[in-house]
Amino acid sequence: MQNQILVQEPQTKSPKTTTSATMLVPVCNSERCANQVINHGVPVDVVEKMRSEQMKLLRKPFQEKKALKDLNLSAGSYRWGTPSPTCLEQLSWSEAFHVQLTDILDSLAQNSLRWSMEQFALAVCEVAKELAEILAEEMGGETGIFKERCLPKSCYLRLNRYPACPTYSHIMGLMPHTDTSFLTLLHQDNVGGLQLLKDGKWIAVKPNPHALIINIGDLFQAWSNNLYKSVEHRVVANPVKERFSAAYFLCPPRDTVIQSAQIGGAVYRSFSFGEYKKQIEVDVQSIGHKVGLQRFLLPTQ
């Protein structure tokens, strides 16, 4: 017998099931505040190969990583800490390659690192689109935007490393934030450190290297007219162990217009994905952090 996808969101509706080789189950130490996918169909060897290449890349000297010679990526893909902090409290103890997949897909200059990233991204993309379509069907929405627009070339892959931090009690591994995507699918190792905000409390997500963590992003919140909520999360620093994770961001092309579903009246004005990203860049540069969907709220009557 095949397993099933079980969609727990939104809480006001009965869970929806559909035949698949995947199961979506809630995770957290106490109350449910996230979902993870087990039996997701992404081959184990693909995950392990990419993680091995990721570790080798991110353990290289800083100047080598900054030069981007391994991947020939777009400028700004390698990031250390917070891009534009305006105060000490905004600093993060982490580094990452934030990769637009157009930089690595269908490249003639293949190497082991690029190949492993591409294989991982293509496999996770199929899981992401399937889950997005199920969530859209649950709210009675059309699924075409995911089938037709959220192709790998418009999506992003982020390879994270969180070094052991001697001042872990004074700095975050990653500052609290929500993701800009429709969905984020995260693979993490067994170190732990991811926390999600639930009812005003930070709750640790127990690591499971065999699963994918699913986070709703800003675009899904706006598109669903707040039926699904973007998940605020952070990563706490670890004093003795380094941590690795890889996040796949399901995104449309920049010219895609996000329009709130007309359920009880639209909450957000229509905006393009490119406009949203640009506003985030402006806010980060000016105040050091993302404001997000609050910038796009329609006036209340």
Side-chain angles (χ1 to χ4, degrees), residues 249-260:
F249 300 96
L250 185 70
C251 300
R254 293 179 69 95
D255 63 354
T256 301
V257 175
I258 307 301
Q259 184 173 3
S260 291

Side-chain angles (χ1 to χ4, degrees), residues 162-174:
Y162 302 89
C165 180
T167 57
Y168 70 98
S169 61
H170 302 290
I171 192 170
M172 299 298 302
L174 194 62

Side-chain angles (χ1 to χ4, degrees), residues 156-186:
Y156 296 81
L157 182 65
R158 185 180 176 98
L159 307 181
N160 300 300
R161 174 177 176 254
Y162 302 89
C165 180
T167 57
Y168 70 98
S169 61
H170 302 290
I171 192 170
M172 299 298 302
L174 194 62
M175 293 298 296
H177 67 286
T178 59
D179 291 334
T180 303
S181 56
F182 275 116
L183 292 179
T184 301
L185 275 64
L186 177 76

